[in-house]
Amino acid sequence: MKAQASTYVLVHGGNMSTETWNKLAKSNIHTPDGKMGGRIWDPIIPFLQTYNNQVFAPTLKDEHQSNLTEHIEEISTIITGNHLENVVLVGHSYGGMVITGVATMMPDKISSLVYVDAALPDPGQSLFDLIALGGRDPLSFAGLEPAPPYVEKLEFNPQVLNGLPKIYILCTESEFVTVTHVAREKIASHPKEWTYLELPTSHVPMASMPEQISQLILENTANR
């Protein structure tokens, strides 16, 4: 029997500079604005597209000219505008805030959620709140500013996500380990709701371990 194809919508975190990406990926990419946006997913898209899987990897609006609510609306519009069903939502870093918001708005469209070393909010928390909970000053991370998306608190009903398969992939060598430690504690308190996985790599496994992160996503989400 032929396996049914899956649809993946990939949501990036803070808009990484090409300079940072090139150091991580040992590449020499140049873009018009010097930012990567959704291009951070480029190394894993070919892997995810196997078995005729459909993949969307948009670039979110500039964080200085939009907020978390608008980013959630952007991803929601991609899903509704393309009449997507059974979507695997994948969020990296700040993208965890976005996919949580999207899933609570349209849980019937989502087949599973994948958090890649990502923010895992409770209702009423912002990205900056999560960093502070981990014992770090958000401004201590190079390049991280109090832009609107990062300080906006996400209000949602967590019960809407009950029963929805959720996967967390923690990068053990991440510079955001204090933040992901908070996520790990939340997951440990509700182990039956989660598939918890680890990769021995930095915060951006799409650059350092593209094949391995792709395999983890495919193995845990395909044809749910």
Side-chain angles (χ1 to χ4, degrees), residues 13 48 66 80 86 111 118 120 122 127 131 175 178 214:
L48 296 184
S66 57
T80 57
N86 300 314
S111 66
L120 182 60
D122 284 333
L127 176 66
I131 295 173
E175 58 269 40
T178 53
S214 302

Side-chain angles (χ1 to χ4, degrees), residues 13-124:
N15 202 348
M16 181 178 291
S17 70
T18 52
E19 179 183 4
T20 299
W21 174 266
N22 286 334
K23 289 178 181 177
L24 291 169
K26 297 179 174 60
S27 59
N28 190 32
I29 291 174
H30 298 280
T31 63
D33 61 355
K35 299 287 187 179
M36 289 295 293
R39 297 179 188 89
I40 67 163
W41 301 107
D42 284 358
I44 78 168
I45 287 176
F47 294 106
L48 296 184
Q49 286 176 327
T50 56
Y51 311 112
N52 295 316
N53 293 333
Q54 192 173 20
V55 181
F56 294 80
T59 293
L60 299 172
K61 292 179 183 175
D62 183 85
E63 61 262 39
H64 298 102
Q65 300 175 10
S66 57
N67 56 33
L68 173 58
T69 297
E70 290 172 314
H71 287 164
I72 291 170
E73 290 174 352
E74 280 186 77
I75 301 303
S76 299
T77 298
I78 287 172
I79 293 171
T80 57
N82 290 281
H83 309 289
L84 305 181
E85 303 284 346
N86 300 314
V87 174
V88 178
L89 268 180
V90 183
H92 173 247
S93 195
Y94 157 74
M97 303 290 296
V98 179
I99 67 170
T100 301
V102 172
T104 55
M105 286 178 59
M106 50 178 63
D108 58 314
K109 302 288 187 183
I110 311 304
S111 66
S112 56
L113 292 169
V114 182
Y115 294 80
V116 179
D117 217 47
L120 182 60
D122 284 333

